[in-house]
Amino acid sequence: METVMDEQESIDEAFETVRRYYLYHARSWSVPKIKRLSSSAVYVPYHLIEKSGRWTKKQKIFFV
């Protein structure tokens, strides 16, 4: 599977996700400052399953 975004974009997206969580779910306006200590690549095996819907004939793809 090809990567969709580079490493810096994924880091920025992760920080933005945490910021949104604190603003909208935790209802805290003081977003904590997060420092990244290290990073490592993780390779996760995956399987794509294609199934038709229960009531419709439309095919759905599940990422497992």
Coordinates of all heavy atoms in Angstrom, one line a residue:
M1 N 0.9 -1.2 0.0 CA 0.0 0.0 0.0 C 0.9 1.2 0.0 O 1.9 1.3 0.8 CB -0.9 0.0 1.2 CG -1.8 1.1 1.3 SD -2.9 1.1 2.8 CE -3.9 -0.3 2.5
E2 N 0.6 2.1 -0.8 CA 1.4 3.4 -0.9 C 1.1 4.3 0.2 O 0.0 4.3 0.8 CB 1.1 4.1 -2.2 CG 1.5 3.3 -3.5 CD 1.2 4.1 -4.7 OE1 1.2 5.4 -4.7 OE2 0.9 3.5 -5.7
T3 N 2.1 5.1 0.6 CA 1.8 6.1 1.7 C 1.1 7.2 1.1 O 1.3 7.6 -0.1 CB 3.2 6.6 2.3 OG1 4.0 7.1 1.2 CG2 3.9 5.4 2.9
V4 N 0.2 7.8 1.8 CA -0.6 8.9 1.4 C 0.0 10.2 1.7 O -0.1 11.2 0.9 CB -2.0 8.8 2.0 CG1 -2.9 10.0 1.6 CG2 -2.7 7.5 1.6
M5 N 0.7 10.3 2.8 CA 1.3 11.6 3.2 C 2.7 11.2 3.8 O 3.0 10.1 4.2 CB 0.5 12.3 4.3 CG 0.2 11.6 5.5 SD -0.7 12.6 6.7 CE -2.4 12.3 6.2
D6 N 3.6 12.2 3.7 CA 4.9 12.0 4.2 C 5.0 12.1 5.8 O 3.9 12.3 6.4 CB 5.9 13.0 3.6 CG 5.7 14.4 4.0 OD1 4.7 14.7 4.7 OD2 6.5 15.3 3.5
E7 N 6.1 11.9 6.3 CA 6.3 11.8 7.8 C 5.9 13.1 8.5 O 5.1 13.1 9.5 CB 7.7 11.4 8.2 CG 7.9 11.2 9.7 CD 9.3 10.8 10.0 OE1 10.1 10.5 9.1 OE2 9.6 10.8 11.2
Q8 N 6.3 14.2 8.0 CA 6.0 15.5 8.6 C 4.5 15.8 8.6 O 3.9 16.3 9.5 CB 6.8 16.6 8.0 CG 6.7 18.0 8.7 CD 7.1 17.9 10.2 OE1 8.1 17.3 10.5 NE2 6.3 18.4 11.1
E9 N 3.9 15.5 7.5 CA 2.4 15.7 7.4 C 1.7 14.8 8.3 O 0.7 15.3 9.0 CB 1.9 15.4 5.9 CG 2.3 16.4 4.9 CD 1.8 16.0 3.5 OE1 1.7 14.8 3.2 OE2 1.5 16.9 2.7
S10 N 2.1 13.6 8.5 CA 1.4 12.7 9.5 C 1.6 13.2 10.9 O 0.7 13.1 11.8 CB 1.9 11.3 9.3 OG 3.2 11.1 9.6
I11 N 2.8 13.7 11.2 CA 3.1 14.3 12.6 C 2.2 15.5 12.8 O 1.5 15.6 13.9 CB 4.5 14.6 12.7 CG1 5.4 13.4 12.8 CG2 4.8 15.5 14.0 CD1 6.9 13.6 12.6
D12 N 2.1 16.4 11.8 CA 1.2 17.5 12.0 C -0.2 17.1 12.1 O -1.0 17.7 12.9 CB 1.4 18.5 10.8 CG 2.8 19.1 10.7 OD1 3.5 19.1 11.7 OD2 3.1 19.5 9.6
E13 N -0.7 16.1 11.4 CA -2.1 15.7 11.5 C -2.3 15.1 12.9 O -3.4 15.3 13.5 CB -2.3 14.6 10.4 CG -3.7 14.1 10.4 CD -4.8 15.1 10.0 OE1 -4.4 16.1 9.3 OE2 -5.9 15.0 10.4
A14 N -1.4 14.4 13.4 CA -1.5 13.8 14.8 C -1.7 14.9 15.8 O -2.6 14.8 16.7 CB -0.4 12.9 15.1
F15 N -0.8 15.9 15.8 CA -1.0 17.0 16.7 C -2.3 17.7 16.6 O -2.9 18.1 17.5 CB 0.2 18.0 16.5 CG 1.5 17.5 17.2 CD1 2.6 17.1 16.4 CD2 1.6 17.4 18.5 CE1 3.7 16.7 17.0 CE2 2.8 17.0 19.1 CZ 3.8 16.6 18.3
E16 N -2.8 17.9 15.3 CA -4.0 18.6 15.1 C -5.2 17.7 15.6 O -6.2 18.3 16.2 CB -4.2 18.8 13.6 CG -5.5 19.5 13.2 CD -5.6 20.9 13.8 OE1 -4.6 21.5 14.2 OE2 -6.8 21.4 13.9
T17 N -5.1 16.4 15.5 CA -6.1 15.5 16.1 C -6.2 15.7 17.6 O -7.3 15.7 18.1 CB -5.8 14.1 15.7 OG1 -5.8 14.0 14.2 CG2 -6.9 13.1 16.2
V18 N -5.1 15.7 18.2 CA -5.1 15.9 19.7 C -5.6 17.2 20.1 O -6.4 17.3 21.0 CB -3.6 15.7 20.2 CG1 -3.6 16.1 21.7 CG2 -3.2 14.3 20.1
R19 N -5.3 18.3 19.3 CA -5.8 19.6 19.6 C -7.3 19.6 19.5 O -8.0 20.2 20.4 CB -5.2 20.6 18.7 CG -5.5 22.1 19.0 CD -5.0 23.0 18.0 NE -5.8 22.9 16.8 CZ -7.0 23.5 16.6 NH1 -7.6 24.2 17.6 NH2 -7.7 23.4 15.5
R20 N -7.8 19.0 18.4 CA -9.3 19.0 18.2 C -10.0 18.2 19.3 O -11.1 18.6 19.8 CB -9.6 18.4 16.9 CG -9.6 19.4 15.8 CD -10.2 18.9 14.5 NE -9.3 19.0 13.4 CZ -8.8 18.1 12.7 NH1 -9.1 16.8 12.9 NH2 -7.9 18.3 11.7
Y21 N -9.4 17.1 19.8 CA -9.9 16.3 20.8 C -10.1 17.2 22.1 O -11.1 17.2 22.8 CB -9.1 15.1 21.1 CG -9.6 14.4 22.4 CD1 -10.6 13.5 22.3 CD2 -8.9 14.5 23.6 CE1 -11.1 12.9 23.4 CE2 -9.4 13.9 24.7 CZ -10.5 13.1 24.6 OH -10.9 12.4 25.8
Y22 N -9.0 17.9 22.5 CA -9.1 18.7 23.7 C -10.1 19.8 23.6 O -10.8 20.2 24.5 CB -7.7 19.2 24.0 CG -6.9 18.3 24.9 CD1 -6.2 17.3 24.4 CD2 -7.1 18.4 26.3 CE1 -5.5 16.4 25.2 CE2 -6.4 17.5 27.1 CZ -5.6 16.5 26.6 OH -5.0 15.7 27.4
L23 N -10.2 20.4 22.4 CA -11.2 21.5 22.2 C -12.6 21.1 22.3 O -13.5 21.7 22.9 CB -10.9 22.3 21.0 CG -9.6 23.1 20.9 CD1 -9.4 23.7 19.6 CD2 -9.6 24.1 22.0
Y24 N -12.9 20.0 21.6 CA -14.3 19.6 21.4 C -14.8 18.5 22.3 O -16.0 18.5 22.6 CB -14.5 19.2 19.9 CG -14.2 20.4 19.0 CD1 -13.2 20.3 18.1 CD2 -15.0 21.5 19.0 CE1 -12.9 21.4 17.3 CE2 -14.7 22.6 18.1 CZ -13.6 22.5 17.3 OH -13.3 23.5 16.5
H25 N -14.0 17.5 22.7 CA -14.4 16.4 23.5 C -14.1 16.6 24.9 O -14.9 16.4 25.8 CB -13.9 15.1 23.0 CG -14.3 14.8 21.6 ND1 -15.6 14.4 21.3 CD2 -13.7 14.8 20.4 CE1 -15.8 14.2 20.0 NE2 -14.6 14.4 19.4
A26 N -12.9 17.0 25.2 CA -12.5 17.3 26.6 C -13.0 18.6 27.1 O -13.0 18.9 28.3 CB -11.0 17.1 26.8
R27 N -13.4 19.5 26.2 CA -13.9 20.8 26.5 C -12.9 21.6 27.3 O -13.2 22.4 28.2 CB -15.2 20.8 27.4 CG -16.3 20.0 26.7 CD -17.1 20.9 25.7 NE -18.2 20.2 25.3 CZ -18.7 20.3 24.0 NH1 -18.0 21.0 23.2 NH2 -19.7 19.6 23.7
S28 N -11.6 21.5 27.0 CA -10.5 22.2 27.6 C -9.9 23.1 26.6 O -9.5 22.7 25.5 CB -9.5 21.2 28.1 OG -8.4 21.9 28.6
W29 N -9.9 24.4 26.9 CA -9.3 25.4 26.0 C -7.8 25.5 26.1 O -7.1 26.1 25.3 CB -10.0 26.7 26.2 CG -11.4 26.7 25.9 CD1 -12.4 26.7 26.7 CD2 -12.0 26.5 24.6 NE1 -13.6 26.6 26.1 CE2 -13.4 26.4 24.7 CE3 -11.5 26.4 23.3 CZ2 -14.3 26.3 23.7 CZ3 -12.4 26.2 22.2 CH2 -13.8 26.2 22.4
S30 N -7.2 24.9 27.1 CA -5.8 24.9 27.2 C -5.2 23.5 26.7 O -5.2 22.5 27.4 CB -5.3 25.1 28.7 OG -5.9 24.0 29.5
V31 N -4.9 23.5 25.5 CA -4.4 22.3 24.8 C -2.9 22.1 25.3 O -2.1 23.0 25.3 CB -4.4 22.5 23.3 CG1 -3.8 21.2 22.6 CG2 -5.8 22.8 22.8
P32 N -2.7 20.8 25.8 CA -1.3 20.5 26.3 C -0.3 20.6 25.1 O -0.6 20.3 24.0 CB -1.4 19.1 26.8 CG -2.6 18.5 26.1 CD -3.5 19.6 25.8
K33 N 0.9 21.0 25.5 CA 2.1 21.0 24.6 C 2.7 19.6 24.6 O 3.1 19.1 25.6 CB 3.1 22.0 25.0 CG 4.0 22.4 24.0 CD 3.3 23.3 23.0 CE 4.4 24.1 22.2 NZ 3.8 24.9 21.2
I34 N 2.7 18.9 23.4 CA 3.2 17.5 23.4 C 4.5 17.5 22.7 O 4.7 18.1 21.6 CB 2.2 16.7 22.6 CG1 0.9 16.6 23.3 CG2 2.7 15.3 22.4 CD1 -0.3 16.0 22.6
K35 N 5.5 16.8 23.3 CA 6.8 16.7 22.7 C 7.0 15.2 22.2 O 6.6 14.3 22.9 CB 7.9 17.0 23.7 CG 7.9 18.4 24.1 CD 9.0 18.7 25.1 CE 9.0 20.1 25.6 NZ 10.1 20.3 26.6
R36 N 7.5 15.1 21.1 CA 7.8 13.7 20.6 C 9.2 13.3 21.0 O 10.1 14.0 20.7 CB 7.7 13.7 19.0 CG 7.9 12.3 18.5 CD 7.7 12.4 17.0 NE 8.7 13.2 16.4 CZ 9.2 13.0 15.2 NH1 8.8 12.0 14.5 NH2 10.2 13.8 14.7
L37 N 9.2 12.2 21.7 CA 10.5 11.7 22.2 C 11.3 10.9 21.1 O 12.5 11.1 21.0 CB 10.3 10.8 23.4 CG 9.7 11.6 24.6 CD1 9.5 10.6 25.8 CD2 10.6 12.7 25.1
S38 N 10.5 10.1 20.4 CA 11.2 9.3 19.4 C 10.1 8.8 18.4 O 8.9 8.9 18.7 CB 11.9 8.1 19.9 OG 11.0 7.2 20.6
S39 N 10.5 8.2 17.3 CA 9.6 7.6 16.4 C 10.2 6.4 15.8 O 11.4 6.2 15.7 CB 9.2 8.6 15.3 OG 10.3 8.9 14.5
S40 N 9.3 5.5 15.3 CA 9.8 4.3 14.7 C 8.8 3.8 13.7 O 7.6 4.1 13.9 CB 10.1 3.2 15.7 OG 9.0 2.9 16.4
A41 N 9.2 3.2 12.6 CA 8.3 2.7 11.6 C 7.7 1.4 12.1 O 8.4 0.6 12.7 CB 9.0 2.5 10.3
V42 N 6.4 1.3 11.9 CA 5.7 0.0 12.3 C 5.0 -0.5 11.0 O 4.3 0.2 10.3 CB 4.6 0.4 13.4 CG1 3.8 -0.9 13.7 CG2 5.2 1.0 14.6
Y43 N 5.3 -1.8 10.8 CA 4.7 -2.4 9.6 C 3.6 -3.4 10.1 O 3.9 -4.3 10.9 CB 5.8 -3.2 8.8 CG 6.8 -2.3 8.3 CD1 8.0 -2.1 8.9 CD2 6.5 -1.5 7.1 CE1 8.9 -1.2 8.4 CE2 7.5 -0.6 6.6 CZ 8.7 -0.5 7.2 OH 9.6 0.4 6.7
V44 N 2.4 -3.1 9.8 CA 1.3 -3.9 10.2 C 0.7 -4.6 9.1 O 0.3 -4.1 8.0 CB 0.2 -2.9 10.8 CG1 -1.0 -3.7 11.3 CG2 0.8 -2.1 11.9
P45 N 0.6 -6.0 9.2 CA -0.1 -6.7 8.1 C -1.6 -6.4 8.0 O -2.2 -6.0 9.0 CB 0.1 -8.2 8.5 CG 0.4 -8.1 10.0 CD 1.0 -6.8 10.3
Y46 N -2.1 -6.4 6.8 CA -3.5 -6.1 6.7 C -4.1 -7.0 5.6 O -3.4 -7.7 4.9 CB -3.7 -4.6 6.2 CG -3.1 -4.3 4.9 CD1 -3.9 -4.4 3.7 CD2 -1.7 -4.0 4.7 CE1 -3.3 -4.1 2.5 CE2 -1.2 -3.7 3.5 CZ -2.0 -3.8 2.4 OH -1.5 -3.6 1.1
H47 N -5.4 -7.0 5.6 CA -6.2 -7.8 4.7 C -7.4 -7.0 4.2 O -8.1 -6.4 5.1 CB -6.6 -9.1 5.3 CG -7.3 -10.1 4.4 ND1 -6.6 -10.7 3.4 CD2 -8.5 -10.5 4.3 CE1 -7.4 -11.5 2.8 NE2 -8.6 -11.4 3.3
L48 N -7.7 -7.0 2.9 CA -8.9 -6.3 2.4 C -10.0 -7.3 2.2 O -9.7 -8.3 1.5 CB -8.6 -5.5 1.1 CG -7.5 -4.4 1.3 CD1 -7.2 -3.8 -0.1 CD2 -8.1 -3.3 2.2
I49 N -11.2 -7.1 2.7 CA -12.3 -8.0 2.5 C -13.4 -7.2 1.8 O -13.7 -6.1 2.2 CB -12.8 -8.5 3.9 CG1 -11.7 -9.3 4.6 CG2 -14.1 -9.3 3.6 CD1 -12.1 -9.7 6.0
E50 N -13.9 -7.8 0.7 CA -15.0 -7.2 -0.1 C -16.2 -8.0 0.2 O -16.3 -9.2 0.0 CB -14.6 -7.2 -1.5 CG -15.5 -6.4 -2.4 CD -15.0 -6.2 -3.8 OE1 -13.8 -6.5 -4.0 OE2 -15.8 -5.9 -4.7
K51 N -17.3 -7.2 0.7 CA -18.6 -7.9 1.0 C -19.7 -7.0 0.4 O -19.5 -5.8 0.3 CB -18.8 -8.0 2.5 CG -17.9 -9.0 3.2 CD -18.2 -8.9 4.7 CE -18.4 -10.2 5.3 NZ -18.7 -10.1 6.7
S52 N -20.8 -7.7 0.1 CA -21.9 -6.9 -0.3 C -22.7 -6.5 0.9 O -22.7 -7.2 2.0 CB -22.8 -7.7 -1.3 OG -23.2 -8.9 -0.7
G53 N -23.5 -5.5 0.8 CA -24.3 -5.0 2.0 C -25.4 -5.9 2.3 O -25.8 -6.8 1.5
R54 N -26.0 -5.8 3.5 CA -27.0 -6.7 3.9 C -28.3 -6.5 3.1 O -29.0 -7.4 2.7 CB -27.3 -6.5 5.4 CG -28.4 -7.4 6.0 CD -28.6 -7.1 7.4 NE -27.8 -7.9 8.2 CZ -27.8 -8.0 9.5 NH1 -28.6 -7.2 10.2 NH2 -27.0 -8.7 10.2
W55 N -28.7 -5.2 2.9 CA -29.9 -4.9 2.2 C -29.7 -4.3 0.8 O -30.6 -4.2 0.1 CB -30.7 -3.9 3.0 CG -31.3 -4.5 4.3 CD1 -32.3 -5.4 4.4 CD2 -30.8 -4.4 5.6 NE1 -32.5 -5.8 5.7 CE2 -31.5 -5.1 6.5 CE3 -29.7 -3.6 6.1 CZ2 -31.3 -5.2 7.8 CZ3 -29.5 -3.7 7.5 CH2 -30.3 -4.5 8.3
T56 N -28.5 -4.0 0.5 CA -28.2 -3.4 -0.8 C -27.2 -4.3 -1.5 O -26.5 -5.1 -0.9 CB -27.6 -2.0 -0.7 OG1 -26.4 -2.0 0.0 CG2 -28.6 -1.0 0.0
K57 N -27.1 -4.2 -2.8 CA -26.1 -4.9 -3.6 C -24.8 -4.2 -3.7 O -23.9 -4.7 -4.3 CB -26.7 -5.1 -5.0 CG -28.0 -5.8 -5.0 CD -27.9 -7.3 -4.9 CE -29.2 -7.9 -5.1 NZ -29.3 -9.3 -4.7
K58 N -24.7 -3.1 -3.1 CA -23.4 -2.3 -3.1 C -22.3 -3.0 -2.4 O -22.5 -3.5 -1.3 CB -23.6 -0.9 -2.5 CG -22.5 0.0 -2.7 CD -22.8 1.4 -2.2 CE -21.6 2.3 -2.3 NZ -21.9 3.6 -1.8
Q59 N -21.2 -3.1 -3.0 CA -20.0 -3.8 -2.5 C -19.3 -2.8 -1.5 O -19.2 -1.6 -1.7 CB -19.0 -4.2 -3.5 CG -19.5 -5.3 -4.4 CD -19.5 -6.6 -3.8 OE1 -20.5 -6.9 -3.1 NE2 -18.5 -7.4 -3.9
K60 N -18.9 -3.4 -0.3 CA -18.1 -2.6 0.7 C -16.8 -3.3 0.8 O -16.7 -4.5 0.8 CB -18.9 -2.6 2.0 CG -20.2 -1.8 1.9 CD -20.8 -1.8 3.3 CE -22.1 -1.1 3.3 NZ -22.8 -1.0 4.5
I61 N -15.8 -2.4 1.0 CA -14.4 -3.0 1.3 C -14.0 -2.7 2.7 O -14.1 -1.5 3.2 CB -13.4 -2.3 0.3 CG1 -13.8 -2.7 -1.1 CG2 -12.0 -2.8 0.6 CD1 -12.9 -2.0 -2.2
F62 N -13.6 -3.7 3.4 CA -13.2 -3.6 4.8 C -11.7 -3.8 4.9 O -11.2 -4.7 4.3 CB -13.9 -4.6 5.7 CG -15.4 -4.5 5.8 CD1 -16.3 -5.1 4.9 CD2 -16.0 -3.6 6.7 CE1 -17.6 -5.0 4.9 CE2 -17.3 -3.4 6.7 CZ -18.2 -4.1 5.9
F63 N -11.1 -3.0 5.7 CA -9.7 -3.0 5.9 C -9.4 -3.6 7.3 O -9.8 -3.1 8.3 CB -9.1 -1.5 5.9 CG -7.7 -1.4 6.1 CD1 -6.8 -1.7 5.0 CD2 -7.1 -0.9 7.2 CE1 -5.5 -1.6 5.1 CE2 -5.7 -0.8 7.4 CZ -4.9 -1.2 6.3
V64 N -8.9 -4.8 7.3 CA -8.7 -5.6 8.6 C -7.3 -5.8 8.8 O -6.5 -6.1 8.0 CB -9.4 -7.0 8.5 CG1 -9.3 -7.7 9.8 CG2 -10.9 -6.8 8.1

